[in-house]
Each structure stands twice: as structure tokens, then as C-alpha cells.
Amino acid sequence: MADTRRGIVSGIAAYTMWGLFPLYWPLLKPAGALEILAHRMIWSLVAVLVILTVRRNWAWLRTIGLRRMLLLAVAALIITVNWGTYIYAVNSGHTIEAALGYFINPLVSVLLGVLVFHERLRSWQWAAIGISVVAVGVLAADYGRLPWIALLLACSFGTYGLVKKFAATGSAESLTIETAVLFVPALAYTLLAPHQTFTGHGPGHVALLVGAGVVTAIPLMLFNTAATRVPLTVIGMLQYLAPVIQFLIGLLVQHEAMPASRWVGFLLVWAALALLTADGLRAARSRRRAAAPRPEPVAEAA
């Protein structure tokens, strides 16, 4: 129970930190989204190398073959798109749309299961996907365009999770490879691109840019602690914590507009997620019942 409690607390802490990111990225202005992204890559590598050095955990390097290295390189490119889009969204006044992307993400994961692993959807899952398609249509009419930030965030993060599933590498180890792949281009951008803000804006600005690596690495470590100690059904429930916090920050702190038609779209998305979650819990309960040992029949007395 103590181990499970530690996992739940770690999961709550990880998703809470991810949810609070919209408060951090605006602090890095006047740095643009690309500069913030580059520094996030550079200092994430430094942070995770420090963590692995403290843990003295380097044996995994011998197990990284060519296939796994290529998969993690692909994952690095995908997460670059995700990180860059998210930073741009938050710093350009689209935090609520970014939160929508992470609300949609579980539905994208279900679709990827169908397309890649040929999984068969249950009726409630089909209903959830149908409702989410209607929700995207409602939101597209509200925005006057497809909610491309939300869709790009959801699809990129869902695909990233799929590639990481094939790579089957721990969070710290995979982040090390991914940021190492991106380190040279990120460093080249910070050194060669014009209008860099790393110097000339005081030590506080430098500390915040360096801190982008720390705030990237720490929740990943906490998530890894949670993922190894609590059931996936619990992780599935906790994952909604981050977009809820992001949504509330966009609505209450950054005062982004939420007209009635946009509320309708979000309510449809939340209804789809409620169906998906209820179906997942019901399926997990059925699997536990099927796996439970059945009592042996008592022999009749002679």
C-alpha cells in the first residue's frame, strides 16, 4: 500500500506540473517559441545526464541497438513538433485550445490502436469517437477554422506514445537519447539564429531558460515512478488532471475567450471522455473478474 500511495502521489505531482506549464512559458518572453524550444532541448539533456549520473545508471547504454536508436530518433522529431506547438500555443494566447489537444489525446490513442494494432472497438468506444468528431466540427465552426493546434498536439503526442511503446525504453533513458539527437541542431540555432535573448536580459532570464530543462525532466521522473507502481486504469484517470489545470489557467488566469458555442464543443469532448473512461473501467473490471481464481467445488459428504 505504501508503494501504491507513493505511485499515486508521484502521478498527481507529474500531471500537476505538466498542467502548470502555461504559467512557466510566458515567463521566458521575450524569447520566441523556437528559442524556448531549443533551450528546452539543450538543458533537458543536461538535467537528465545529471540525474543518471547521480543514479549511476549507465548499463542501459549497452542494450540500445540500432532499431531502438532509430525509433527514439523518430520519437525525438515527433516530440519536437509537440513541444514547439505547445509553447507557441501558450505564448500566443491559445492555452485553452492546447488543453483541448490533451483532452482529445486519449481518443487519438484509441484510433491508433485500431489502425496499428487492429484492435476492435467496443460500442461505447465507437460512441465516444463519434461524439468527438461532432465536437471537432462544432469547434471548427466556432473558431472559423479547424482547431489545428489541438489536433496537432493530440496527434503528435499520440504518435509519440506509439513510437515509445515500440522502443520500450525507460523515461530518463529515452529522454537522454531524444535530447541527444536534438542537441546539435538546438545548439546551432541558439548560436547562429538572430535575435537570441539568452544574454542581455539579466541572470533571471538565463535561469528561467536553463530551468526549462529541469521542469521537463522532473515530471518525467515522477511519471516513471507512478507508471511502475499503480495500475494503468489509475494512470488513465490521472492524465485528465493536466488538461483540466491548463484549461482553468487559460480561462481564469489568462482570460481567454470562451463563447457559448465553444463551451458546447468542450462539453461534447468531455462527454466523449466520460464514455471512454466508463468503458475502460468496465472492461478492466471484467478482466479482473475473468482472471480471478474460481473456488473449487466442495465434495459432497459421504
Side-chain angles (χ1 to χ4, degrees):
M1 288 299 295
D3 213 36
T4 302
R5 194 179 302 113
R6 180 185 174 193
I8 292 173
V9 171
S10 296
I12 292 173
Y15 282 108
T16 300
M17 290 184 70
W18 280 325
L20 293 174
F21 273 2
L23 297 178
Y24 189 83
W25 304 132
L27 299 177
L28 305 184
K29 292 179 179 180
L34 287 178
E35 184 181 1
I36 296 171
L37 177 63
H39 280 282
R40 187 177 185 184
M41 294 171 183
I42 292 168
W43 301 113
S44 293
L45 177 60
V46 174
V48 79
L49 288 176
V50 170
I51 291 170
L52 291 173
T53 301
V54 171
R55 289 181 175 180
R56 298 180 181 177
N57 181 19
W58 297 106
W60 60 273
L61 284 171
R62 293 193 293 269
T63 67
I64 299 293
L66 178 60
R67 176 181 176 276
R68 191 172 291 178
M69 183 70 76
L70 290 174
L71 284 171
L72 291 175
V74 172
L77 296 176
I78 296 171
I79 202 61
T80 298
V81 173
N82 183 270
W83 285 359
T85 304
Y86 183 70
I87 294 168
Y88 165 79
V90 169
N91 282 5
S92 61
H94 295 90
T95 299
I96 289 178
E97 189 177 348
L100 174 65
Y102 291 107
F103 279 125
I104 294 174
N105 180 65
L107 297 161
V108 172
S109 297
V110 169
L111 282 176
L112 287 174
V114 174
L115 296 174
V116 178
F117 298 110
H118 307 291
E119 297 175 358
R120 297 186 64 180
L121 295 185
R122 297 179 291 272
S123 57
W124 284 22
Q125 291 174 313
W126 277 118
I129 289 174
I131 292 172
S132 67
V133 171
V134 174
V136 169
V138 170
L139 289 167
D142 172 77
Y143 283 114
R145 57 172 175 82
L146 276 176
W148 67 268
I149 290 175
L151 294 174
L152 187 55
L153 286 172
C155 292
S156 61
F157 199 73
T159 308
Y160 174 72
L162 179 68
V163 174
K164 292 288 288 290
K165 182 179 178 66
F166 285 119
T169 308
S171 57
E173 294 82 357
S174 62
L175 184 63
T176 303
I177 300 296
E178 292 163 31
T179 49
V181 167
L182 301 168
F183 179 80
V184 173
L187 184 62
Y189 180 85
T190 60
L191 295 176
L192 301 176
H195 311 300
Q196 297 295 306
T197 66
F198 188 66
T199 58
H201 291 271
H205 185 67
V206 172
L208 287 170
L209 284 173
V210 172
V214 178
V215 301
T216 297
I218 289 178
L220 277 174
M221 302 299 101
L222 291 168
F223 175 78
N224 188 62
T225 300
T228 56
R229 287 171 172 81
V230 297
L232 284 176
T233 51
V234 177
I235 295 293
M237 297 294 290
L238 290 177
Q239 71 176 327
Y240 298 128
L241 185 60
V244 166
I245 295 173
Q246 293 164 7
F247 177 83
L248 292 175
I249 289 173
L251 183 67
L252 302 177
V253 178
Q254 298 172 343
H255 305 292
E256 294 185 15
M258 275 295 289
S261 55
R262 200 165 301 173
W263 276 110
V264 171
F266 270 82
L267 288 171
L268 286 170
V269 169
W270 294 334
L273 291 175
L275 272 179
L276 195 67
T277 303
D279 178 75
L281 292 173
R282 185 174 60 86
R285 189 161 51 247
S286 299
R287 286 194 295 269
R288 284 197 300 270
R289 287 175 180 171
R294 297 186 178 183
E296 296 182 4
V298 179
E300 292 184 5

